[in-house]
Amino acid sequence: MNTLDVSNLRIWDNLTGKVIVLNSSFQVKQESCLAIVGESGSGKSVTCRAIMRLNKSNIKQTGSIQLNGVNLAKLSEAEMRKQRGRQLCLIMQNGMRAFDPSSVVGSHFKATLQQHYAWNASEITSRMARAMESVMLKDPVALMNKYPHQLSGGMLQRMMIALAIVLEPTLIIADEPTSALDTLSQFEVMEQLISLREDTGCSMIFVSHDLGLVKRIADKIVVMKDGEVLESGTTADIFSNTSHEYTRHLIEAKQVLNRHFSSRMGGFNLVDR
Ligand SMILES: Nc1ncnc2c1ncn2[C@@H]1O[C@H](COP(=O)(O)OP(=O)(O)OP(=O)(O)O)[C@@H](O)[C@H]1O
Ligand SMILES: [Mg+2]
């Protein structure tokens, strides 16, 4: 069964008439992880935001986006707000942008969770504290009293993952969740995302340029190029028998980078992580 079924998604810029995504269709099976890969500008983030219906107002979309049988494209904005957070959770590249810079992160958690659950403040704090400890954030109550700028990028990403653990959404969309992080935090955040999948049984869309990470987390891959789905298949199939030059180029570019990195770092190979 599919958690998400996107069909004939077309996205364009109403100001310029430029078509950004031509006609894309893909599915995310229940409890599975679909990776979306492709060069910069191929339409990955616009596609993620189209699913959340969070693109800027000049960006228009048509097509059907079924989340567990509910066509999100047909919901009113008020109904869509109920889906965001509770059913659909977006983890972005830059954790800092996800939080309001003028309030402590605990207020963001409270505001988000109170939209979906009838929990009181102390229940929210205790649920969040438990989730934060499970993603290795020590002293959670003190952390919840900090402003976003007082926390590192890796901590903010883990805070987002902790919030997702408490929200238990049906689908998590992680758009380059580790690309702004140093290598160690990248590794830790990936481990947390993998456990999040195992623990909550959520489905996931994972967008990344890093095919080493994709290989580690994804069951299926969609390759996008210039706003089109070029090919899709299981992770093993795409890595071993892609028939597309472009996909081979993405895989090989990654391997060349890794070999270079590996020779500099004395043999550690990122592709095989
Ligand atoms: N708000 C916007 N208004 C107009 N065009 C936009 C807007 N946001 C994105 N685009 C255009 O849509 C296209 C796809 O952008 P998108 O951000 O989805 O690429 P991407 O695949 O996520 O790239 P990256 O790997 O760099 O994140 C680009 O040509 C971009 O200029
Ligand atoms: Mg992007």
Side-chain angles (χ1 to χ4, degrees), residues 44-45 175-176 207:
K44 306 181 297 293
S45 296
D175 187 1
E176 309 218 32
V207 176

Side-chain angles (χ1 to χ4, degrees), residues 8 43-44 49 63 113 123 179 203 212 219 225 237 243 251:
N8 305 113
K44 306 181 297 293
R49 289 199 296 269
L113 290 166
E123 196 163 0
S179 62
S203 306
D219 306 297
K225 182 175 191 293
D237 268 357
S243 54
I251 294 171

Side-chain angles (χ1 to χ4, degrees), residues 10 28 32 40-41 60 81 101 109 129 134 139 156 165 171 183 185 194 196 205 211 214 220 231 252 273:
R10 182 180 181 85
V28 184
S32 82
S40 187
K60 303 291 175 198
R81 264 201 297 276
F109 295 150
S134 78
D139 208 353
L156 289 170
I165 290 172
L171 177 73
T183 314
S185 311
I194 290 165
L196 169 68
I205 293 181
L211 290 173
V214 164
K220 276 191 76 182
E231 67 172 324
E252 280 165 10
R273 279 178 299 187

Side-chain angles (χ1 to χ4, degrees), residues 224-237:
M224 286 192 73
K225 182 175 191 293
D226 301 331
E228 286 189 77
V229 172
L230 185 71
E231 67 172 324
S232 60
T234 65
T235 303
D237 268 357

Side-chain angles (χ1 to χ4, degrees), residues 2 13 44 52 99 109 124 140 160 164 218 221 233 249 257 266-267 271:
N2 293 328
D13 180 353
K44 306 181 297 293
M52 301 287 298
F99 292 92
F109 295 150
I124 287 176
M160 290 298 295
I221 299 179
H249 159 77
L257 267 177
V271 160

Side-chain angles (χ1 to χ4, degrees), residues 13 18 20 39-46 58-59 176 209:
D13 180 353
K18 182 188 158 201
I20 299 171
E39 283 172 341
S40 187
S42 55
K44 306 181 297 293
S45 296
V46 169
N58 60 307
I59 305 291
E176 309 218 32
H209 279 126

